Amino acid sequence: MKKFSYVATDIGGKLVRGTEMAEDYHDLQAKLKERNLYCTKYREVGGSNAIDVKYKFKTKEVSFISRQLASMTSAGLSLVRALYILQEQQENKRAKAVLLDIYEEVQKGKSFSDVLYTKPGVFPEMFVSMVAAGEASGTLDQILNRVSDHFANANKTANKVKSAMIYPMVLLVLIIAVVILMFTMILPQFGSMMDPEDMSPLSAAMMAISDSMINYWYVYIIVIVCIVIFFWVVMRIPAAKLKFDELVLKMPKVGKLMSTIYTGRFARNMANLYGAGLQLVDCIEKSVAVISNTYVHKRFAEAVDNIKLGESMSKAIEKTEIFEGMFTSIIFVGEESGTLDTILNKAADYYDEEADSAIGKLVGLMEPLMIVIMGVVIGLVLAALFPMLYGGMTDIS
């Protein structure tokens, strides 16, 4: 028997720390589960560092796992055998520990979805819901293929955003470097050419900024850190976050582009969840959950309430004023014709392309904005330099 120190969570999500005698990790886990505790970290007392058995799978990993499980179960392997092979192939120790735990639980007779529900945050909520729907309908392999395609597309979109952000980020770093160089290296060289009393107000202001950046640089760092912390704290105040998210959607150009992106995400998630056989209200709630905007969440909470009272989905969504009229019209056609799942899939394909285009345009808006900012800063510095340079030349002559 070995002595283990552990960190676990109870059913209510409360952290519990303690020690337990066990043969190994699996024995430790079994003993903790008997007390309704789920181990997140453990280490052998006197042994190596703690091993974190809580792992959040990335979008790319979820797509791969879904594809592998779908391929193996379609080929006739049992889910238990497929999970065993999957965890055996896993190289990441933390991910392997999670998959091994899932395999052992399913082997004992629990359903795959029930095991996933006991591990919140490890897999995306949509993945868990789709697995549950697949098990209930007996089409788990088909559902997993659909899930794999969904997360593969999501990963592709995320990579596009990252690639598109490279140039704006490089430009931002360049702007900061140019501003620091001009105020700390160039302006001081010209400042000595002219008497401070003879400087224009703009030149004097630029020189004051230059002196402060050279002599009190730490103040700037403190101010920047304080601003970041302030916004970080404010964005965690529900009322402030709600107002900010609402303003984003109502901003000229940006608001329309964000609405298009949200429409694409909602349409694709709705198509997948509704096609998997989930109830309409569940589909809407889970589809909106992936949109990171609290104002959208609030408006759709009202829409869900209206749907529960008997209002049509298209009418309830139209009242939110989040999505464009064409999308609500598409939903209305699907409801009237009884082909909502087919209509949603076609709409998802269209809005996926529109969302990709909107992301590109949104990132593209940042480039001219930063170029303008850099041009204004350089222009102000040059406007301050010319009088100094002219005054210095006059003194020499």
Side-chain angles (χ1 to χ4, degrees), residues 79-305:
L79 179 61
V80 174
R81 181 61 181 168
L83 287 169
Y84 175 79
I85 294 172
L86 190 65
Q87 65 87 21
E88 279 289 304
Q89 294 176 340
Q90 183 60 245
E91 296 180 357
N92 186 303
K93 291 182 179 179
R94 294 173 63 199
K96 186 180 180 70
V98 174
L99 292 173
L100 177 61
D101 185 39
I102 292 172
Y103 157 71
E104 291 177 342
E105 290 297 312
V106 174
Q107 190 182 38
K108 293 175 183 177
K110 290 185 178 180
S111 70
F112 188 22
S113 56
D114 284 344
V115 176
L116 294 178
Y117 278 122
T118 65
K119 301 181 181 301
V122 175
F123 285 95
E125 185 179 347
M126 181 181 175
F127 176 82
V128 181
S129 299
M130 293 283 279
V131 167
E135 287 183 317
S137 61
T139 58
L140 183 59
D141 54 343
Q142 298 174 26
I143 294 295
L144 285 171
N145 270 316
R146 181 178 291 186
V147 171
S148 178
D149 291 338
H150 170 80
F151 284 103
N153 289 331
N155 184 62
K156 184 179 178 182
T157 300
N159 289 335
K160 283 182 180 179
V161 174
K162 290 176 183 177
S163 298
M165 285 296 294
I166 290 176
Y167 177 68
M169 292 305 297
V170 170
L171 190 59
L172 179 61
V173 171
L174 180 62
I175 291 172
I176 295 172
V178 167
V179 170
I180 293 174
L181 179 66
M182 295 189 77
F183 277 96
T184 60
M185 302 291 291
I186 298 175
L187 270 174
Q189 298 294 328
F190 288 89
S192 58
M193 295 182 177
M194 193 172 185
D195 192 311
E197 295 182 359
D198 297 330
M199 289 184 183
S200 66
L202 179 60
S203 298
M206 293 295 105
M207 284 305 303
I209 295 173
S210 175
D211 291 338
S212 66
M213 288 182 69
I214 294 171
N215 300 314
Y216 304 102
W217 54 269
Y218 53 88
V219 175
Y220 285 88
I221 294 177
I222 293 172
V223 170
I224 292 171
V225 170
C226 288
I227 291 173
V228 171
I229 293 174
F230 172 76
F231 277 103
W232 184 83
V233 171
V234 168
M235 286 298 101
R236 274 152 183 76
I237 300 173
K241 183 71 166 62
L242 179 66
K243 192 63 179 177
F244 176 80
D245 287 343
E246 182 181 358
L247 288 173
V248 168
L249 279 172
K250 293 182 177 179
M251 287 175 63
K253 289 188 177 294
V254 174
K256 185 176 180 180
L257 292 175
M258 291 304 299
S259 177
T260 303
I261 293 170
Y262 292 157
T263 305
R265 291 179 185 174
F266 179 83
R268 177 57 64 191
N269 286 317
M270 272 296 298
N272 286 323
L273 292 169
Y274 192 76
L278 271 71
Q279 294 293 323
L280 182 61
V281 170
D282 289 338
C283 292
I284 295 173
E285 290 176 339
K286 294 181 187 302
S287 297
V288 173
V290 301
I291 298 175
S292 55
N293 187 297
T294 55
Y295 178 71
V296 174
H297 294 174
K298 179 187 176 184
R299 297 294 292 162
F300 266 87
E302 298 168 0
V304 167
D305 289 339

Side-chain angles (χ1 to χ4, degrees), residues 12-30:
K14 183 180 178 182
L15 281 178
V16 179
R17 301 174 187 270
T19 57
E20 185 74 37
M21 297 298 295
E23 292 290 344
D24 52 25
Y25 161 64
H26 304 298
D27 186 30
L28 169 69
Q29 192 179 43

